[in-house]
Amino acid sequence: MEEPVDDAGLAAFRAEVRAWLAANCPDEMRAPLRGDQDLCWGGRRWVFASDAQRIWLERMAARGWTVPEWPKAYGGGGLSRAEAGVLAAEMRRIRARPPLSSFGIWMLGPALLKYGSEAQKRAHLPPIARGEIRWCQGYSEPGAGSDLASLRTSAVLEGDHYVVNGSKVWTSYADKADWIFCLVRTDPAAPKHQGISFLLFDMESEGVSTSPIQLISGASPFCQTFFDNVRVPRENLVGAPGQGWEIAKYLLTHEREMIGGMDFSGEGRDSLAQLAKKALGEGGLRAEPLLCARVVAHEIDAIAFGLTMERVKDEARAGEGVGALSSMLKYVGTELNKQRNEIRMSLGGTDALGWEGREGDQARAWLRSRANSIEGGTSEIQLNIIARQVLRLPAAG
Amino acid sequence: MALVLTEEQRMIRSSAEGFLAAHGPVSQLRHLRDSRDPTGFSTGLWRGMAEMGFAGVLVPKAHGGTALGMVAAGLVSEAIGRNLTLSPFLGTAVLAATLVGRGGSAEQQKALLPPIAAGTAILALACDEAPRHAPAHIATRAEPSGNGFRISGAKTHVLDGHVADRLIVAARTRGCDCDPDGITLFLVDPKAPGVEVRRRPMVDSRNAAELRLEGVQVDGADVIGELHAGLPLLEAALDAARACLAAEMLGAAARSFEITLDYLQTREQFGRPIGSFQALQHRAAHLFCELELARSVVIRALRALEAGEDRAPFYASLAKAKTGEVARLATSEGVQMLGGIGMTDDHDMGFFLKRARAAGETFGDSAFHGARVAQFLNI
């Protein structure tokens, strides 16, 4: 990796970060993630996989570096974008694992920072930053997938409480989450996009129940979640009643960037070239020209995508904004990740067909990747957004 | 290293785009083609490009250039692509300026760089010998003769060869035809005895000459760079040209996409704009994403070359491979979405399709550069 060139202030910060990480990041936390099982999600019921995982989270949270760019008042590090970039680069340099993975950080936090009341920020952001409260996202419903705005879960104001009734589906880790941020219909008479509000509530509230959904990968990261007369204090509504769709869309741009950028480099796993050597021997891939061409074309696109992520971030830093480009990153990133998993399966041949224990990792990852272009808005929805919001093409029909 | 343009580079881009849109637009290409212009480009435009500092973009200031660097050269190329401007920019300002600037003797630099920057000398690289690019495969021989060499062989796809004031010929001074060692670069006067130049107009209305060399006598002082070890110098210049071709294809692809989008907005069928049909919207949106990827690889390659990074050849090939595919997609989709009008010679889209094909083939197509990328990645 190239050694970066900093101005004087940033150079001093880099030196400080490097020294601090050297002293504080436990050795165990300096190994590539082997998979989801190595992530730390936090929350009331979280059981740390090791002391190292706990210590790493506590030390990073104490500095506000689980959320480096959030204001210090809300548990963040108060870093500038450039400083956060330095921290991320220095963590990559020693292969430090992320101390905390969290929908609170990736999705709810940015929305609360923009739309939340001061009381909401003070109540919810610090526990997210410290990994004390784990959040889930209540968006999709059985009857509202790509057409999300047609959602029907209702919240009716009765005195100081909203009473919530309905059901959400594809709520990731709802069975493990402490709180939910949820889209609810507060005004059934308004046009569908305008009657939606953004509500926060405790998953331990009476009337909340969850039921895991088993996926084709065999895992059950998603749940269906039911609300039966759940009473939610009215101060838990974010923004104004009816502003939920605007907040949801803002939050989705963050989610898309996150999904688009997920597990992409294949770092921590064998590269396609290494896999090919294992499967076919040195140079063996060249004897299979069709597979070889797919590998090369994929690697070209993967590197081009990595550079595009970098460029879009640079442009955001230069004040050019990401906005609807998050749909481009989500679409390209997830389609490439699916393609990569297909190729990994082909290179693995019959070895990749194993199902039990670690032998099933590759097949399960392949199956899991199929959801990438469905969750967070399908590829087709992303293309719609690009066509309408970036290219300004006329509305269909 | 940031992948956004600096303020200065933005200014270069907008001045190149403004100047070429005004003085070297697609209509000029159409006129030059229809009038079977013997030069194949506007000499007035080339002088203007020199005055703008574009001809000397890679020439040091001490030799009268602007020394703006590879990113600037790429931005000029992108504007050339957007306007399909005909000019000797690639052959003279990029290839020859790099070869002479890096490998030339003090005398050669003094004699050649100022007229390159001034737009008064056209130079042409004679490298390829076969229809598929293979720069190390050189059968043209240069045998010692007197205090110099006698060169014999045949060259193809010599850009601007029919109007060049000087040729730069890659010839073999030792080794077998495909040996990377043993290649030497020579300055050759196209009017010297034994040189036969045949102009060959191409599908994109540009010219590349076929060259025959029969016992052409050159002087020892006509060697550019090191004897027998010309390939690294040649590859360095080719990489600069490949990155500029990638930038040019990006410009052509982006412009043809704009034309296509405009058509989708205005063309009505079934009582509504065809751009309202999801089948076309999704293809346009996909193409937009591909163009974004192409933009990233192009700027990365230009920066790598400008900084002289070790991995610059890798990034040049990455850019040429990816952009070649994207330009092909953008221009084919352009013709398809324009429908019948896209097939007519009256519409400009066909020019973009043709240029994407020719620029894609020049100095290695996507397959050639894909193979080079694969080598770098140990695939």
Side-chain angles (χ1 to χ4, degrees), chain B:
Chain B
M1 183 178 293
L3 295 178
V4 288
L5 298 179
T6 64
E7 201 51 46
E8 190 200 8
Q9 286 160 350
R10 281 167 185 279
M11 282 171 58
I12 292 168
R13 180 166 71 176
S14 75
S15 81
E17 168 58 17
F19 181 80
L20 294 181
H23 303 289
V26 188
S27 57
Q28 186 181 68
L29 160 68
R30 187 182 288 280
H31 171 76
L32 288 162
R33 181 197 66 170
D34 292 347
S35 62
R36 295 175 172 274
D37 185 274
T39 306
F41 58 86
S42 156
T43 49
L45 172 73
W46 183 234
R47 273 197 305 276
M49 288 175 75
E51 280 160 24
M52 293 290 289
F54 301 156
V57 68
L58 297 179
V59 174
K61 287 181 178 166
H63 292 292
T66 44
L68 292 169
M70 270 308 293
V71 175
L75 295 173
V76 173
S77 301
E78 189 182 340
I80 287 173
R82 290 183 60 85
N83 293 286
L84 298 181
T85 306
L86 291 171
S87 87
F89 182 80
L90 186 70
T92 297
V94 178
L95 277 169
T98 305
L99 287 168
V100 177
R102 290 204 186 184
S105 65
E107 290 74 29
Q108 288 167 341
Q109 295 191 350
K110 207 170 145 212
L112 292 169
L113 292 178
I116 287 176
T120 53
I122 309 287
L123 280 81
L125 172 68
C127 158
D128 288 338
E129 300 187 351
R132 303 265 321 157
H133 184 59
H137 195 281
I138 286 176
T140 295
R141 293 265 160 189
E143 309 285 354
S145 157
N147 58 356
F149 298 84
R150 283 170 71 86
I151 307 176
S152 296
K155 294 287 181 180
T156 185
H157 204 56
V158 181
L159 303 178
D160 309 319
H162 65 304
V163 289
D165 301 299
R166 301 300 290 276
L167 301 165
I168 299 174
V169 176
R172 184 160 295 288
T173 38
R174 71 179 181 203
C176 65
D177 289 358
C178 50
D179 194 343
D181 176 70
I183 295 168
T184 307
L185 299 167
F186 295 94
L187 271 171
V188 174
D189 182 349
K191 296 191 186 69
V195 180
E196 187 190 313
V197 180
R198 185 176 78 84
R199 176 188 181 187
R200 181 167 179 263
M202 294 183 294
V203 64
D204 61 345
S205 307
R206 281 155 173 80
N207 294 284
E210 307 274 297
L211 201 63
R212 287 201 68 80
L213 303 144
E214 303 231 13
V216 179
Q217 181 70 40
V218 294
D219 201 78
D222 291 325
V223 171
I224 299 182
E226 284 181 59
L227 194 66
H228 310 311
L231 189 60
L233 175 61
L234 177 63
E235 285 285 9
L238 285 172
D239 280 333
R242 289 156 177 161
C244 283
L245 278 166
E248 184 185 337
M249 289 192 286
L250 171 66
R255 181 71 196 118
S256 60
F257 185 49
E258 289 166 18
I259 295 170
T260 306
L261 279 181
D262 187 55
Y263 192 77
L264 292 179
Q265 301 272 11
T266 51
R267 167 73 171 171
E268 293 199 359
Q269 288 288 276
F270 305 102
R272 52 193 175 115
I274 59 172
S276 67
F277 296 118
Q278 203 177 37
L280 297 187
Q281 288 187 345
H282 281 193
R283 279 160 58 182
H286 174 76
L287 184 49
F288 168 81
C289 296
E290 289 289 300
L291 279 161
E292 288 293 314
L293 296 186
R295 186 164 294 286
S296 309
V297 294
V298 166
I299 184 71
R300 187 68 185 83
L302 294 170
R303 291 228 189 275
L305 285 159
E306 183 155 300
E309 291 176 33
D310 289 346
R311 281 168 70 82
F314 165 73
Y315 283 118
S317 276
L318 180 75
K320 185 77 169 50
K322 181 64 189 168
T323 315
E325 288 299 303
V326 173
R328 187 190 51 71
L329 180 69
T331 53
S332 332
E333 286 286 71
V335 170
Q336 178 65 23
M337 292 195 204
L338 262 61
I341 193 77
M343 285 300 296
T344 65
D345 188 62
D346 267 351
H347 199 282
D348 288 343
M349 187 55 78
F351 284 113
F352 285 93
L353 179 75
K354 293 167 184 173
R355 182 57 189 151
R357 165 56 55 191
E361 289 298 332
T362 300
F363 305 138
D365 67 356
S366 292
F368 174 93
H369 289 290
R372 210 161 165 239
V373 166
Q375 228 163 24
F376 278 108
L377 295 177
N378 288 315
I379 292 171

Side-chain angles (χ1 to χ4, degrees), chain A residues 48-218:
Chain A
F48 288 99
S50 64
D51 277 349
Q53 191 185 56
R54 179 180 53 78
I55 289 166
W56 180 223
L57 171 61
E58 285 171 0
R59 286 177 179 168
M60 286 292 276
R63 292 219 57 162
W65 285 357
T66 53
V67 282
E69 288 181 67
W70 290 10
K72 285 189 174 173
Y74 308 132
L79 301 189
S80 69
R81 213 150 235 233
E83 288 168 337
V86 167
L87 173 60
E90 290 302 315
M91 285 176 64
R92 269 199 307 277
R93 205 179 64 86
I94 61 165
R95 304 176 127 207
R97 289 181 183 175
L100 182 61
S101 302
S102 147
F103 298 148
I105 293 176
W106 299 324
M107 298 193 260
L108 177 62
L112 274 187
L113 283 168
K114 187 169 163 78
Y115 294 99
S117 68
E118 187 56 29
Q120 287 166 344
K121 290 181 199 171
R122 288 193 181 276
H124 297 297
L125 293 177
I128 290 173
R130 293 191 297 263
E132 292 164 1
I133 294 292
R134 182 170 178 180
W135 288 82
C136 64
Q137 177 191 42
Y139 271 33
S140 298
E141 297 181 4
S146 283
D147 183 13
L148 181 60
S150 69
L151 60 91
R152 287 161 60 181
T153 293
S154 68
V156 178
L157 192 59
E158 286 180 13
D160 287 339
H161 285 77
Y162 284 99
V163 178
V164 180
N165 279 287
S167 165
K168 294 285 174 183
V169 74
W170 312 127
T171 28
S172 310
Y173 305 116
D175 53 338
K176 300 185 174 69
D178 305 310
W179 276 64
I180 186 168
F181 50 94
C182 196
L183 291 180
V184 293
R185 190 160 297 284
T186 43
D187 184 355
K192 70 176 182 180
H193 291 91
Q194 287 158 35
I196 296 170
S197 299
F198 194 93
L199 201 59
L200 315 175
F201 54 93
D202 195 321
M203 290 292 280
E204 285 178 11
S205 310
E206 203 177 320
V208 177
S209 59
T210 64
S211 139
I213 302 168
Q214 180 160 334
L215 298 184
I216 52 177
S217 63

